[in-house]
Amino acid sequence: MGPDCLYDLYTSWRLLHSITAVGDITFRSARQDRGIDLGSSRRRMTGPAVADYILASYPATA
């Protein structure tokens, strides 16, 4: 999962919980400050926020 997908998932999760999300730059800075390296992690997306993210990210096909 790349940084753009992680941020989009974060915003979906916040939206589902009616919590205001921080901006992209603030989010990325906080991730770096905590030493979270997306290139070497095995993070997976699960849960309701993922469904929201997938539905919002991909256009419907006709």
Side-chain angles (χ1 to χ4, degrees):
M1 172 176 22
D4 291 335
C5 290
L6 182 61
Y7 180 74
D8 291 342
L9 178 60
Y10 159 77
T11 57
S12 292
W13 179 85
R14 299 286 269 194
L15 180 66
L16 289 173
H17 290 88
S18 300
I19 304 169
T20 303
V22 299
D24 182 39
I25 293 173
T26 303
F27 179 80
R28 289 175 191 249
S29 176
R31 190 190 82 229
Q32 290 173 346
D33 291 347
R34 288 168 178 78
I36 299 170
D37 180 11
L38 298 178
S40 65
S41 71
R42 294 183 166 247
R43 288 174 171 41
R44 300 291 183 258
M45 298 191 300
T46 62
V50 175
D52 179 68
Y53 167 70
I54 291 169
L55 292 174
S57 298
Y58 296 96
T61 57

